[in-house]
Amino acid sequence: VQLQASGGGLVHAGGSLRLSCAAAGRPLTDYTVAWFRQAPGKGREFVAAARRTGGYTYYANSVEGRFTIFRDNTNKTTVYLQMDGLKPEDTAVYYCASGSNPILSSIRSASMYNSWGQGTQVTVSS
């Protein structure tokens, strides 16, 4: 499935952004969908995931309570990442990814996902 991430931008600390991950060709309800991010000079980091079944969601400790991943139940080809209380350390390129059936114990691992969007830049100023 082809993914398109959008919604990034420049915000002040404490602000909010909503990222979108749109799929072409198949509904994202067929997949576990995750968001990862990569800051300059750092590796790709897990942010959040929504499992294909059961409605379960998972978050990195650094974003728990501030970010929310959710599916659009009307438009089944889109998954969102609502980011509130943004901090300068959230500055990164954010990528969405999908996987057919990632192992639960490895759901935070980038290797479990085989389709990736192109990334959208999020910059949080202090």
Side-chain angles (χ1 to χ4, degrees), residues 4-75:
Q4 176 85 23
S6 62
L10 171 64
V11 296
H12 292 297
S16 298
L17 282 174
R18 178 176 291 184
L19 305 184
S20 299
C21 178
R26 291 189 64 172
L28 282 176
T29 48
D30 292 345
Y31 302 93
T32 290
V33 179
W35 287 93
F36 289 79
R37 66 187 182 186
Q38 188 163 14
K42 296 187 177 181
R44 194 162 293 191
E45 174 190 27
F46 171 80
V47 176
R51 273 183 70 183
R52 181 173 62 89
T53 57
Y56 298 102
T57 56
Y58 307 85
Y59 297 93
N61 289 340
S62 59
V63 307
E64 181 90 49
R66 299 188 297 122
F67 291 10
T68 305
I69 185 171
F70 63 99
R71 298 178 183 271
D72 187 331
N73 290 325
T74 300
N75 179 358

Side-chain angles (χ1 to χ4, degrees), residues 45-106:
E45 174 190 27
F46 171 80
V47 176
R51 273 183 70 183
R52 181 173 62 89
T53 57
Y56 298 102
T57 56
Y58 307 85
Y59 297 93
N61 289 340
S62 59
V63 307
E64 181 90 49
R66 299 188 297 122
F67 291 10
T68 305
I69 185 171
F70 63 99
R71 298 178 183 271
D72 187 331
N73 290 325
T74 300
N75 179 358
K76 299 185 183 301
T77 60
T78 305
V79 172
Y80 299 98
L81 182 69
Q82 177 67 38
M83 305 187 297
D84 299 315
L86 283 161
K87 304 176 180 180
E89 52 263 44
D90 294 319
T91 295
V93 178
Y94 283 70
Y95 300 88
C96 64
S98 66
S100 296
N101 193 23
I103 300 171
L104 180 57
S105 60
S106 298

